[in-house]
Amino acid sequence: MNIILLGPPGAGKGTQARHLVETRGMVQLSTGDMLREAKDSGTEMGKIVADVMARGELVTDEIVIGLIREKLEAGEGAGFIFDGFPRTLAQADALGELLKATGQTLDAVIEMQVDDEALVARITARSTCGACGEVYNDITKPQPADGKCSNCGASDFKRRADDNEDSLRTRLMEYYKKTSPLIGYYYAKDMLATVDGLGEIAEVQGAIAKVLD
Ligand SMILES: [Zn+2]
C-alpha cells in the first residue's frame, strides 16, 4: 500500500508518518532524507545528487523521481508513505507515471486539514530532540519535566530557526500556491481522504487508520 500525506507545513505529517512506520512497517519517503541518504550511498543516483549539491544547485524533479524509482524498485517494507512529495502538480503527474511504470498503485491520499491560525500557534510551539528527532509541542506534547527526551533520554532540544511566524507564512503561501492544487487533483481522481489534523495525535492516528483499513 502506497500513500501520500498532504498538508501544510506543521500539520503533523512527519509525526503521523513515523507512527505508520512503527505500526505498519511502511517506509517513509521524505525528500530531504532521500537526498542525504543518496549522497552517502555511492549509487549512480547518489553521485548525481552529490554533484548537484556540491555545485550548490537545486535538485530537480527528475533527480527526486529517480531516487523514488530506486526505492520503488527495491520494494522494501509494507508500502511507502510519500511525505513532502509530490509538492507540485507536475510532480504528481510524474509520480503517477512512475508508479504505473513500476507496476505499483497509489492507494490513498490523505489530506491533513488544519486551520491556518491554529497552525501558526502550533508550529511556533514546536521543538525536536536533537538526538533522535522526536517532536515536542509546548501545547500538545510538552518536553518532559525532567528535561530528558521520552524516546531516547537525550537532553538536547532544538527549535527550528525558521519556526517563526514570518517564515511560516512564507512557507504557507508556497504551499497554497504550489501544493494545495493537489487536493483538487486527487479529489478528481477519487483518491482523496480528509482528516482533521488538529485533533490529539492519537485521534489523528485513528482517523488515518480508518482511511487505510
Ligand atoms: Zn530523543
Side-chain angles (χ1 to χ4, degrees):
M1 171 179 277
N2 301 307
I3 68 168
I4 293 172
L5 290 181
L6 204 58
K13 299 188 295 294
T15 302
Q16 293 300 328
R18 266 212 298 280
H19 179 72
L20 293 171
V21 169
E22 283 162 15
T23 57
R24 294 176 185 250
M26 296 179 79
V27 175
Q28 180 184 8
L29 289 187
S30 105
T31 313
D33 291 346
M34 270 191 297
L35 290 172
R36 275 187 293 275
E37 188 188 311
K39 218 179 87 192
D40 302 332
S41 69
T43 66
E44 193 117 337
M45 281 306 303
K47 282 174 198 149
I48 296 172
V49 171
D51 266 6
V52 168
M53 287 169 98
R55 287 199 301 267
E57 291 169 7
L58 280 179
V59 175
T60 61
D61 285 0
E62 268 169 312
I63 290 175
V64 177
I65 284 286
L67 293 174
I68 294 174
R69 176 186 293 275
E70 282 185 346
K71 293 284 186 188
L72 289 177
E73 283 169 351
E76 45 170 328
F80 293 99
I81 306 158
F82 297 98
D83 164 20
F85 187 93
R87 217 180 270 278
T88 63
L89 289 171
Q91 291 178 352
D93 278 337
L95 179 62
E97 293 294 318
L98 175 60
L99 287 166
K100 206 193 277 176
T102 51
Q104 305 228 23
T105 53
L106 182 59
D107 302 285
V109 177
I110 300 173
E111 180 204 358
M112 298 181 60
Q113 216 168 43
V114 283
D115 171 76
D116 288 344
E117 281 311 311
L119 196 63
V120 171
R122 175 193 274 201
I123 203 166
T124 51
R126 189 163 72 174
S127 61
T128 57
C129 170
C132 76
E134 184 77 2
V135 179
Y136 293 92
N137 185 292
D138 299 341
I139 304 158
T140 56
K141 188 188 169 191
Q143 292 170 8
D146 64 1
K148 289 189 175 134
C149 173
S150 55
N151 187 48
C152 75
S155 52
D156 169 31
F157 296 100
K158 291 187 174 6
R159 267 176 213 276
R160 279 172 59 167
D162 59 359
D163 274 355
N164 60 58
E165 197 170 329
D166 279 353
S167 89
L168 172 61
R169 288 187 194 277
T170 305
R171 284 188 289 145
L172 263 181
M173 182 61 84
E174 193 70 7
Y175 172 79
Y176 282 121
K177 283 203 312 219
K178 295 185 177 161
T179 309
S180 67
L182 295 178
I183 294 166
Y185 177 95
Y186 287 116
Y187 173 79
K189 285 178 178 284
D190 201 17
M191 298 176 96
L192 188 74
T194 300
V195 302
D196 177 6
L198 272 185
E200 295 287 325
I201 288 175
E203 281 170 19
V204 182
Q205 285 168 354
I208 290 175
K210 215 181 247 178
V211 173
L212 300 182
D213 294 332

